[in-house]
Structures are given as structure tokens and as C-alpha cells.
Amino acid sequence: MIDNEVLTDVRIAAELARTTVLAGGVLDGLAWTVDPSAGVELHPSWRAEPRLPGHVRTTLSISRSDLASVAADCRHSGAWIPLLVAVNAWSYGASGYGAWRTARTAALPDAEIRLSAAVATLDVHGPVEAYYQLNNEGHLHGWGPSYFTRFLHAADQREHGRAIAIDASLADAVNALVPGSDLGPADWGTAEYAFHLGLVHRIAGEAGVDAAVVEAVLGAKFSG
């Protein structure tokens, strides 16, 4: 459970996300559309990763639709390592060391236990509590928020308030949208994630689209 001091910060962050005035012009002209079948190109080393779907290893491409399919399979089996592998493949893409680092993380002796516990927390208490868990006592060495928030998003079944990924590009998006914001490129605290989550859901509500679409569009706009 989130400790009281952090919980207070989380509540303040959530309220700020709902009420803060956004910088003008940042969202102008954005098309709120995303192709869930569009793939991320993978390094050839991912061909040797048996926990990826066969067509992903063959084509060396993984899409948002693939992540959703792997998450559904993990729900059915109760084993979550394949989703860790899939979201890492998405996140590392063409990097030559991603498959090796992923294999090292997946081989940690308590990896499955911690992943299952995080999903249980996500289902009962929501994404902020699950973020706190994976960033603290449930943390897996070498697996930071830019990876595990995408895991949480894929695993989350809720229709409202669903987990949203955060990475360096999305942190840049928040900084551009919110005057005075200074999110760093990594290692975000729980309250920072709560602010990002609330802000993305707020923009989605105002635009009349799914929050995952906002995440994808902002991530593309501020990548590189």
C-alpha cells in the first residue's frame, strides 16, 4: 500500500492534473488517431526469444495489437513473463542489447511472483498503486517505469482510468503542456506518474478519444 506521505502527494498531483492550465498551441493540429497494427521494428536478436509470438519473431515487428493479444493470453494462463518480454521488445525495438537485458530480467527468481502481484494490485487498487508497488517493494532489477507502465497498460482491463505508459518522450510532452513542469527523462516518483496519468486522461476526455490514443499521439510528437 502507498504510504500516507506519498498518498498525500498523489492526491495533490491528481487534482493538479485536473485543474492546471495547459500551454497554448501544443495540441493544435494533432490528429487523434493511431493504427494499433503499426509495428515497431525489432533487432534480429529477438528471433531467439521463444516467449514472443511466432509471427513477431518471423517478421521482427511488434504492434500494440500484439501487446494486447499477449496480455489476453497471460490473463488466461496466469503467467505474466511473456507480457514482460513483449513490452520490452516494443520498448527496446531495434536496440541490439534489448533481448539480452530482457532475458536477464525475466530470469530473476521472483519475477513471475512480482508480476502477478502487480497485476493483482492493478485489478483491485488501480494503476497508481500498481506503479508504486513496481517502483518500490515489488521492483524488478533492471526494469524501470518506461517498461513496466507499458506492461500495466497492456494488462489493465478497466474501461475508465486505465494505466497509461510513461517514457522520456511523454515526460517531454508533459513539460511542454504544463508551464513550470520539469519531469526528468526517467525514474519518476509515484506522484509524478499520477500527474501524468491524470493529465492524459483529462486530455482524452476533452478530445473525446481513448487515453491510449493520446499517449500514442503525444509520444510520437515528442519522440526524438
Side-chain angles (χ1 to χ4, degrees):
M1 296 291 290
I2 300 177
D3 68 46
N4 290 335
E5 183 177 351
V6 175
L7 186 59
T8 297
D9 291 340
V10 164
R11 288 170 175 163
I12 293 170
E15 180 62 23
L16 283 173
R18 286 191 292 269
T19 60
T20 192
V21 177
L22 303 185
V26 179
L27 302 178
D28 291 353
L30 292 180
W32 297 115
T33 59
V34 62
D35 179 3
S37 66
V40 172
E41 181 181 349
L42 303 183
H43 187 270
S45 58
W46 287 101
R47 289 194 195 277
E49 176 47 72
R51 290 162 292 198
L52 283 177
H55 72 277
V56 170
R57 286 182 278 127
T58 299
T59 62
L60 288 177
S61 177
I62 190 166
S63 68
R64 293 174 184 271
S65 294
D66 291 323
L67 297 184
S69 178
V70 172
D73 290 343
C74 290
R75 280 275 174 191
H76 180 73
S77 69
W80 292 97
I81 291 289
L83 184 57
L84 179 153
V85 171
V87 299
N88 276 26
W90 168 281
S91 299
Y92 280 112
S95 170
Y97 54 81
W100 174 80
R101 285 190 174 180
T102 298
R104 183 179 62 178
T105 302
L108 293 172
D110 56 353
E112 186 62 63
I113 294 171
R114 294 190 178 209
L115 292 175
S116 296
V119 173
T121 297
L122 174 68
D123 290 346
V124 175
H125 299 290
V128 174
E129 188 86 35
Y131 183 97
Y132 179 83
Q133 183 171 324
L134 283 172
N135 212 32
N136 289 277
E137 71 274 9
H139 179 65
L140 289 169
H141 179 71
W143 203 49
S146 61
Y147 305 102
F148 70 65
T149 54
R150 195 161 297 282
F151 174 94
L152 292 174
H153 170 73
D156 201 348
Q157 292 186 312
R158 73 193 67 242
E159 293 184 7
H160 304 290
R162 186 177 181 183
I164 290 295
I166 186 171
D167 57 22
S169 296
L170 289 162
D172 286 343
V174 172
N175 291 341
L177 285 163
V178 181
S181 175
D182 61 349
L183 291 184
D187 300 326
W188 306 280
T190 303
E192 290 177 316
Y193 178 66
F195 181 77
H196 164 72
L197 181 71
L199 189 66
V200 170
H201 278 283
R202 169 188 163 182
I203 294 169
E206 293 172 353
V209 298
D210 190 86
V213 173
V214 174
E215 174 260 304
V217 172
L218 290 179
K221 176 179 173 64
F222 286 89
S223 64

